[in-house]
Every structure is written in structure tokens, then in C-alpha cells.
């Protein structure tokens, strides 16, 4: 009875209720879409870092992390990979030989990271092969081929076919050098990565650094899904517990390798949820104002209800339910429309290439796919309910303070 | 035995600032089946007296005893429940809930009492037949004339099967025809159902048809005839 009359009262002044509902709906659409957009930006960055740079899990020699010299490598990569193959959830595994080097072109020189890779395994593990903008990803057999980033190519003023000289330190700490021919130029969403990272065949680098085939400075592991990262990392750490204790290897997930990314992931959600809460808090004052007006217009009627015997708790509940219905109608509309909008924009994506340079320099993609887990919609729904209850208290108290004998005779 | 009894009833507003003695030493008794009008000029205390009898206001001193219960001693929550089960109200400006149909307005008080649906339906049908609006029971108040709305208000007051009905200037907003029609219905209910009606009014059309007149002057009973 109270619910029925409260729902009917919401539609007593349709225009006013629609304005309040529309303000809640639009406020929520803005807040949720901003949340999904920010989340999409961070998720794209994480995805890009995992698929192009660090994979989900990496294994190193602990000394390599302190001093990234090639002499601190992993000796028994074959044995480690065999053990890794027994773990569920792993999509691919690749070994890398990474060395800091100086590169010189005919015009200039700069510092780089030379990644000696197993091409086939790397294709299975990273997406650099799909980021080629000129040339190819080691398709044509050439002596000492190298793939470099677009930013580095621009800096060195080189093109496909150009030769560059790489100078580096081998395992015996002797300076060595090699001439490499540029076969491909790639471009990712991270210009700093493109400026620094170059790729060559591991066997070519093995020769330069006096490395053996089953040696590497890094083992990268790509998982079937990012959600598996923590569980698989824990399982691998368990398998290699003795090696970890002996300080032969160290196993780290992307969250440990790039803690900033993980922090941004969590902080973006938290800050944006606070933003949504502020929107709802501001909207609650609009709801309170509307409900107070509604009560002022119905003083005589509420007085009559109290006079004929409607208890105070029922009057309080009636006003409270009116406020909650008003807020929740806006809330449901806002959440449903936002969900549709987020799903649609996830499919189509949002192209921000007009400001792509700036975004790429911060490691963000210029193509954003807004996305939001259902749990956040649920949390926002709870926030709406909380806002509705908060907004209902003042109008309901106002109604309770009416004196029936005076209220029934009040002129409106 | 009287159904309502007031003993030395006093109501003083603004006691500490500028005291207004709205009701002064009123001692009255009302019997079951009365059709009584409380009359007097504006500001003589008619509405205040009705509010005290109906438990909408509490006296400064004195007692209101209804069917043996001294309502002046009841707690606020108990007074609300007492009103719900014992007193019917008809107000000057109808005060129907506009979002409910006429039927729902009448049914509402029975829902507050906790009556089940079949009993409500049966009672509502009888009441609408009595007020002559059986064909309008599904209309909203906004589609009805003032007279029809006030008849629905009478039906609502009767719905809870109260011991008596207090009507505060029920015809003040009605034209002659509507007033006559409303009074016919109330008199019929009084005669056939022995329903007790107590009005406050200064409408000569009501005064003419009342069986007992209580005249107030400056909050005191001047005359009972």
C-alpha cells in the first residue's frame, strides 16, 4: 500500500520527476563512461605492455636486475622451459638475450636495448611483428638483420636497408661491435619503447656476446589470460622454489616488473569511483530540493493522512520510498544506458589519433576501448541506493514534523 | 450512556507569549446517533473543539472521554491508532489523495486497519451505493465535482466503521445543490445506520437540518438547543 501510493506520487508531477530522473541518468552516464574510458585507457596500456614488452611473467638472474650486464644470464633455459611446460594457463614461452648497446648510423648515435630473440617464439609471445610499419619482421634471410622502432629510425635518420653499427660489451667484458642491416621498422603505442628497443636474431647476438644457445638473460612467459597472472606466477614460484632460494633465478609478474602500471590500474578506478560518488552527492541535493517542494505542495494531504490514522512510520516510509523510487529510476536508466554505451564504444573503439603523439609519449594508446567490469556497475548501483536513502531522510523528517490539525487547514 | 464526554476542557494557545483561550471550560456529552452542529462566529473555537474531540490536538487542561477511554491520557502513537479505529473525519476541502481513485481513497483507511481484500471490496461497494457514486468509483478525484468529492470523503470517513464522524465545515466549498445532496446522504446514514455526525459549521443550510445545535462564543458553550 505504502509502496503503491509512493510510486504513484512519483508521477504526480511528471515534468518535475522526469527532470530529476534525467539529471541522475545523465550524471551517471557521465560518471560511468568516464570510469570506463579511464579504465579502458589503463587496460590498453597494460595490454600493450604485456603483449609488446614484458609479457605476463619474466624470469631473470637476480644479479641481472641489479646490474643489467650480459654476464648475468640464465644458463639452463632448456631445463626451465621444460618445467614451465607442465604449468596450465601458459600460452607461450620465449627466451631473450638483452644487452645495452650504443648504435651509430651515418649521422648520429644513441643508446639502445638490443633484444636477441627467437623469432618464431617471439611471434607467439609478443605483437611486435604486427606493429611493423615499414619493411618486414625478419621475413627475408639476411645477415645480421635488425628491426628498430620508428622513433629510433627518425632519430638515426635511417631507413629500410640502412646499416647501423652496434657496439656492446660481451660476457668477458670486452667491447665488441657488429654491423646490422635494418629489415623492419615498428611502431607501438609507446614512443619511449620504440626509441629504445631493437630486435635481432638471438643466434646473431649469441655470436657477438659469446653466448651459448641454451643461455639467455630473460625468459618471458605469456599466459592465456591476464587474470591468471597471480595464480600462475605463484605456481611457477613454487616449482622453482629451490632455484629462487639459491638465488639462481628470480620470477616476477608484470605487476612486480612495472608496479606503476598496477598502481595506475587501481588508482584510476578508485579516483573515478570517488568522482562518481561526488556526482551522486551533488545530485542528492537536487533530489532533496524536489522532494521538499513535493511535500510543501502536499501539506494538506499529508496532514489528512496523519489525521485519519496513518502512523508516523508509514508517512516516513511513504516519503522515503518516493525519494528512493525517484532516485532508483534515474539510477537504473543511467546504469543501463551507460552499459549499452560502454559496450558499443568498446566494440567501435574511440580514436584519439588527433592527440596520439602526446598519448603515445606517456605510453597510452591513441585508440581507446572503454571497458568496465560488472562489479563496478553493481558498486555504482549500491552508491545510488545509498544516495537515495541519504536524500530521503530530510524530506521524510519534514513530513513528520507536520501537525495534522494545522496541516489539513493549510491554504496552498 | 454518552459516546463522547468532555470535562472542563480548555485549550490555550501561545500560553507564554500572548495567551489565546480558544476553548474555555467546555463540558459536553454526545449520544450515539446524534446529528449535531457546533455553530458560532469565526474564531469562536468550533474547529479547536472538534480537533480536541478528534484527538488531533491535546487540551491544555480537562479531559475527552470517548466510549470510556480518556484520550487525553493516551500516548501519541496510541492516539493515532485510536483515531484510525474509532473516529471518522470529513474536512472542509475534501483532502482526497489525487493519485488514487475514489475507490482506492475509501479503501485506503481499511488497508491501514489491516482489512483483507474481500472485506474491503464488499464494504467499498456498500458505501459507494450509499453515497450514490457506484458508477464513479474508479474515477480519480480530479474528474469529480466538489460535491462528489465530498461524498467520497464521507464514504472514506465511514469506511473504518468509526464510532462517530467529525466534519469540519463540510459544506463550506459546496453550492446549494451539492450541500443539499450531501446532507441528504448524511441524514440517511444517520437514520438508517445510526451513524453519529458532529459538524462545525456556520452554514445555515446545515444548521436548519441539524437535530441539536451547540453554540460557542469566545470558546465557551453559550447555548445548547
Amino acid at each position: 500500500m505504502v509502496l503503491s501510493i509512493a510510486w504513484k506520487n512519483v508521477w504526480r508531477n511528471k515534468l518535475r520527476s522526469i527532470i530529476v530522473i534525467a539529471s541522475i541518468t545523465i550524471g551517471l552516464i557521465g560518471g560511468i563512461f568516464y570510469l570506463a574510458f579511464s579504465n579502458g585507457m589503463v587496460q590498453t596500456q597494460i595490454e600493450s605492455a604485456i603483449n609488446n614488452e614484458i609479457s605476463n611473467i619474466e624470469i631473470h638472474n637476480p644479479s641481472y636486475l641489479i646490474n643489467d650486464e650480459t654476464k648475468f644470464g640464465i644458463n639452463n633455459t632448456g631445463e626451465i622451459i621444460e618445467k614451465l611446460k607442465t604449468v596450465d594457463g601458459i600460452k607461450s614461452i620465449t627466451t631473450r638475450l638483452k644487452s645495452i648497446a650504443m648504435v651509430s648510423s651515418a649521422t648520429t648515435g644513441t643508446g639502445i636495448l638490443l633484444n636477441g630473440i627467437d623469432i618464431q617464439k617471439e611471434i607467439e609471445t609478443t605483437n611486435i611483428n604486427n606493429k611493423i610499419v615499414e619493411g618486414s619482421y625478419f621475413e627475408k634471410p639476411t645477415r645480421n638483420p635488425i628491426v628498430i622502432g620508428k622513433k629510433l629510425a627518425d632519430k638515426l635518420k635511417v631507413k629500410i636497408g640502412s646499416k647501423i653499427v652496434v657496439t656492446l660489451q660481451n660476457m668477458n667484458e670486452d667491447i665488441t661491435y657488429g654491423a646490422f642491416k635494418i629489415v623492419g621498422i615498428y611502431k607501438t603505442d609507446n614512443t619511449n619503447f620504440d626509441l629504445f628497443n631493437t630486435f635481432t636474431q638471438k643466434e646473431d647476438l649469441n655470436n657477438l656476446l659469446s653466448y651459448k644457445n641454451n643461455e639467455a638473460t630473460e625468459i618471458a612467459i605469456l599466459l592465456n589470460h591476464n587474470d591468471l597472472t597471480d595464480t600462475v606466477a605463484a605456481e611457477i614460484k613454487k616449482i622453482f622454489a629451490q632455484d629462487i632460494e639459491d638465488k639462481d633465478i628470480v620470477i616476477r609478474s608484470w605487476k612486480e616488473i612495472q608496479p606503476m602500471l598496477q598502481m595506475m590500474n587501481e588508482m584510476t578506478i578508485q579516483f573515478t569511483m570517488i568522482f562518481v560518488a561526488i556526482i551522486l552527492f551533488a545530485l542528492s541535493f537536487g533530489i532533496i530540493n524536489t522532494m521538499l517542494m513535493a511535500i510543501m505542495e502536499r501539506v494538506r494531504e499529508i496532514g489528512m493522512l496523519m489525521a485519519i490514522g496513518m502512523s508516523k512510520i508509514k508517512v516516513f516510509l511513504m516519503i522515503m520510498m518516493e525519494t528512493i523510487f525517484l532516485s532508483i529510476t534515474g539510477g537504473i536508466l543511467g546504469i543501463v544506458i551507460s552499459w549499452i554505451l560502454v559496450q558499443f564504444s568498446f566494440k567501435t573503439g574511440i580514436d584519439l589519433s588527433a592527440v596520439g603523439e602526446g598519448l603515445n609519449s606517456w605510453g597510452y594508446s591513441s585508440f581507446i576501448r572503454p571497458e568496465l567490469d560488472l562489479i563496478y556497475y553493481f558498486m555504482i548501483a549500491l552508491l545510488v541506493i545509498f544516495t537515495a536513502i541519504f536524500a530521503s531522510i530530510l524530506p521524510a523528517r519534514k513530513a513528520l514534523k507536520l501537525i495534522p490539525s494545522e496541516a489539513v487547514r493549510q491554504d496552498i | 450512556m454518552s459516546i463522547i464526554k468532555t470535562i472542563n476542557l480548555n485549550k490555550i494557545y501561545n500560553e507564554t507569549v500572548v495567551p489565546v483561550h480558544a476553548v474555555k471550560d467546555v463540558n459536553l456529552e454526545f449520544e450515539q446517533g446524534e446529528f449535531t452542529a457546533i455553530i458560532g462566529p469565526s474564531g469562536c473555537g468550533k474547529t479547536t473543539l472538534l480537533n480536541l474531540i478528534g484527538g488531533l490536538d491535546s487540551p491544555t487542561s480537562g479531559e475527552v472521554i470517548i466510549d470510556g477511554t480518556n484520550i487525553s491520557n493516551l500516548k501519541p502513537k496510541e492516539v493515532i491508532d485510536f483515531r484510525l479505529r474509532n473516529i471518522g473525519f470529513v474536512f472542509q476541502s475534501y483532502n482526497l489523495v489525487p493519485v488514487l481513485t475514489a475507490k482506492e481513497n475509501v479503501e485506503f483507511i481499511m488497508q491501514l486497519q489491516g482489512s483483507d481484500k474481500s472485506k474491503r471490496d464488499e464494504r467499498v461497494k456498500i458505501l459507494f451505493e450509499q453515497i450514490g457514486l457506484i458508477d464513479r468509483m474508479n474515477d480519480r478525484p480530479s474528474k469529480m465535482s466538489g460535491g462528489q468529492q465530498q461524498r467520497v470523503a464521507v464514504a472514506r470517513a465511514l469506511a473504518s466503521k468509526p464510532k462517530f464522524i467529525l466534519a469540519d465545515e463540510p459544506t463550506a466549498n459546496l453550492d446549494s445543490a451539492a450541500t443539499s445532496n450531501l446532507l441528504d446522504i448524511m441524514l440517511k446514514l444517520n437514520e438508517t445506520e445510526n451513524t453519529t455526525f458532529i459538524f462545525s459549521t456556520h452554514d445555515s443550510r446545515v444548521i436548519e437540518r441539524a437535530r441539536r445545535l451547540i453554540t460557542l462564543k469566545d470558546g465557551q458553550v453559550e447555548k445548547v438547543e
Side-chain angles (χ1 to χ4, degrees):
Chain A
M1 171 191 60
V2 170
L3 293 181
S4 157
I5 198 167
W7 176 249
K8 285 174 181 171
N9 278 333
V10 169
W11 304 106
R12 182 186 287 233
N13 188 328
K14 285 193 180 72
L15 181 64
R16 192 167 59 199
S17 293
I18 286 169
I19 288 171
V20 175
I21 288 167
S23 65
I24 298 169
T25 305
I26 293 166
L28 277 178
I29 291 172
I32 293 173
F33 192 75
Y34 176 61
L35 183 59
F37 183 83
S38 307
N39 186 45
M41 253 177 119
V42 174
Q43 293 309 320
T44 312
Q45 195 187 17
I46 290 171
E47 217 170 89
S48 171
I50 289 171
N51 291 329
N52 298 334
E53 305 169 30
I54 51 178
S55 305
N56 294 97
I57 298 164
E58 285 183 352
I59 301 175
H60 294 98
N61 180 324
S63 301
Y64 181 81
L65 299 181
I66 299 162
N67 186 355
D68 49 2
E69 288 180 26
T70 46
K71 65 179 178 184
F72 301 121
I74 306 164
N75 300 323
N76 50 345
T77 56
E79 197 184 311
I80 291 172
I81 289 169
E82 282 310 309
K83 282 184 184 174
L84 287 174
K85 280 179 181 171
T86 62
V87 179
D88 286 338
I90 293 178
K91 190 177 176 187
S92 65
I93 306 163
T94 189
T95 56
R96 293 175 190 145
L97 176 52
K98 298 172 100 169
S99 176
I100 299 290
M102 280 296 295
V103 62
S104 307
S105 68
T107 52
T108 187
T110 187
I112 57 160
L113 178 65
L114 189 58
N115 290 275
I117 56 170
D118 177 332
I119 294 162
Q120 197 47 49
K121 291 288 179 193
E122 195 70 26
I123 288 171
E124 290 167 15
T125 312
T126 63
N127 274 340
I128 300 296
N129 57 312
N130 295 325
K131 305 286 179 185
I132 298 294
V133 290
E134 286 177 57
S136 68
Y137 194 70
F138 304 107
E139 280 172 10
K140 291 175 191 168
T142 314
R143 191 165 171 269
N144 281 356
I146 190 166
V147 170
I148 68 170
K150 178 85 171 70
K151 197 77 179 172
L152 181 64
D154 292 344
K155 187 174 182 180
L156 295 174
K157 296 190 174 75
V158 291
K159 53 186 181 180
I160 298 296
S162 298
K163 280 198 173 169
I164 51 175
V165 176
V166 174
T167 309
L168 63 170
Q169 198 178 41
N170 67 14
M171 280 186 82
N172 307 318
E173 299 188 355
D174 295 326
I175 298 295
T176 183
Y177 59 88
F180 288 82
K181 188 179 178 186
I182 297 168
V183 295
I185 296 173
Y186 70 89
K187 186 179 182 304
T188 68
D189 298 327
N190 186 343
T191 46
N192 290 327
F193 179 86
D194 298 356
L195 184 63
F196 195 57
N197 282 275
T198 61
F199 298 89
T200 188
Q201 296 176 119
K202 188 167 175 282
E203 57 262 33
D204 293 339
L205 200 54
N206 281 348
N207 296 335
L208 267 177
L209 296 177
S210 314
Y211 251 67
K212 290 174 190 157
N213 274 341
N214 68 339
E215 291 174 335
T217 54
E218 181 174 286
I219 299 171
I221 302 159
L222 183 70
L223 304 181
N224 288 326
H225 198 281
N226 187 30
D227 291 347
L228 298 169
T229 302
D230 291 337
T231 49
V232 174
E235 197 180 337
I236 295 173
K237 281 178 186 175
K238 205 172 163 188
I239 292 171
F240 294 99
Q242 190 57 50
D243 299 293
I244 294 168
E245 204 181 313
D246 295 344
K247 299 196 185 306
D248 289 335
I249 56 169
V250 61
I251 297 164
R252 299 180 306 160
S253 72
W254 68 265
K255 294 174 187 178
E256 294 162 284
I257 299 165
Q258 293 207 9
M260 273 293 284
L261 269 183
Q262 171 65 359
M263 191 186 78
M264 278 180 62
N265 185 26
E266 287 168 2
M267 278 176 64
T268 304
I269 291 286
Q270 283 168 8
F271 283 154
T272 323
M273 282 300 281
I274 291 170
F275 177 66
V276 174
I278 291 169
I279 291 176
L280 284 169
F281 184 65
L283 283 171
S284 70
F285 289 96
I287 302 166
I288 290 171
N289 183 47
T290 303
M291 286 309 298
L292 285 176
M293 279 170 65
I295 286 162
M296 297 305 282
E297 287 170 3
R298 283 160 48 200
V299 166
R300 224 161 44 191
E301 182 187 315
I302 294 167
M304 175 277 294
L305 291 172
M306 292 166 107
I308 65 169
M310 191 170 183
S311 65
K312 286 196 167 193
I313 185 77
K314 280 184 177 153
V315 174
F316 188 88
L317 275 176
M318 182 180 75
I319 304 297
M320 201 170 189
M321 289 316 297
E322 279 181 50
T323 319
I324 290 173
F325 282 148
L326 194 65
S327 311
I328 286 181
T329 306
I332 290 170
L333 278 174
I335 289 171
V336 169
I337 295 172
S338 300
W339 183 82
I340 294 168
L341 199 63
V342 170
Q343 295 303 310
F344 178 75
S345 54
F346 179 79
K347 276 186 184 163
T348 59
I350 298 172
D351 189 0
L352 297 176
S353 48
V355 288
E357 276 292 311
L359 287 168
N360 290 165
S361 67
W362 284 91
Y364 288 112
S365 169
S366 59
F367 194 79
I368 312 290
R369 290 187 187 278
E371 60 174 295
L372 198 60
D373 287 345
L374 281 176
I375 183 74
Y376 295 107
Y377 291 99
F378 179 70
M379 283 167 71
I380 289 165
L382 284 181
L383 267 178
V384 171
I385 293 168
F386 176 77
T387 306
I389 292 169
F390 168 75
S392 69
I393 291 170
L394 190 63
R397 273 174 58 88
K398 179 89 181 165
L400 280 195
K401 283 182 180 169
L402 294 174
I403 299 165
S405 59
E406 291 172 10
V408 290
R409 294 176 69 84
Q410 183 155 324
D411 289 326
I412 306 290
Chain B
M1 189 189 163
S2 58
I3 189 172
I4 305 165
K5 192 175 179 183
T6 68
I7 304 166
N8 297 328
L9 202 58
N10 282 279
K11 179 69 187 178
I12 306 169
Y13 291 111
N14 298 328
E15 268 186 285
T16 53
V17 194
V18 186
V20 178
H21 216 137
V23 169
K24 202 183 284 180
D25 297 324
V26 171
N27 291 285
L28 286 170
E29 288 193 30
F30 300 87
E31 303 291 332
Q32 178 71 43
E34 279 197 26
F35 199 79
T36 300
I38 300 170
I39 59 172
S42 289
C44 71
K46 302 187 293 291
T47 299
T48 306
L49 180 58
L50 276 195
N51 287 343
L52 292 171
I53 293 171
L56 293 177
D57 212 345
S58 52
T60 308
S61 65
E63 291 173 351
V64 177
I65 295 163
I66 296 169
D67 209 16
T69 304
N70 185 345
I71 64 165
S72 318
N73 291 339
L74 295 178
K75 291 174 187 165
K77 212 174 166 182
E78 291 169 336
V79 174
I80 293 170
D81 194 58
F82 188 86
R83 283 203 302 263
L84 175 64
R85 300 186 187 281
N86 297 284
I87 309 170
F89 291 92
V90 177
F91 304 100
Q92 181 181 328
S93 43
Y94 334 131
N95 289 356
L96 298 175
V97 180
V99 293
L100 301 180
T101 63
K103 178 179 179 278
E104 287 166 341
N105 264 285
V106 174
E107 211 178 357
F108 186 70
I109 198 161
M110 287 188 278
Q111 285 181 291
L112 289 176
Q113 286 181 318
S115 300
D116 60 48
K117 195 172 183 315
S118 60
K119 279 185 184 167
R120 293 200 309 261
D121 286 345
E122 193 184 335
R123 177 96 179 124
V124 165
K125 202 179 164 204
I126 293 167
L127 288 167
F128 273 89
E129 273 166 0
Q130 285 174 333
I131 62 168
L133 289 173
I134 192 78
D135 55 336
R136 303 294 304 272
M137 57 195 271
N138 291 317
D139 286 350
R140 290 267 175 100
S142 56
K143 289 186 177 173
M144 294 176 155
S145 67
Q148 286 171 331
Q149 287 188 54
Q150 196 62 303
R151 279 148 67 188
V152 174
V154 170
R156 180 182 63 193
L158 286 164
S160 60
K161 294 187 176 172
K163 291 192 169 69
F164 58 92
I165 288 175
L166 298 174
D168 186 11
E169 305 202 30
T171 57
N173 294 341
L174 303 182
D175 61 24
S176 299
T179 300
S180 174
N181 192 286
L182 184 73
L183 286 169
D184 287 344
I185 289 167
M186 291 200 283
L187 269 168
K188 194 178 166 194
L189 285 165
N190 175 255
E191 283 160 8
T192 57
E193 311 270 323
N194 202 29
T195 310
T196 309
F197 283 93
I198 302 167
F199 306 93
S200 77
T201 187
H202 43 222
D203 186 339
S204 59
R205 298 165 298 187
V206 180
I207 295 168
E208 277 169 20
R209 298 179 74 169
R211 298 216 180 87
R212 185 186 178 207
L213 292 174
I214 298 168
T215 310
L216 291 186
K217 189 183 176 189
D218 299 330
Q220 284 182 299
V221 177
E222 190 186 50
K223 198 166 49 174
V224 179
E225 50 191 313

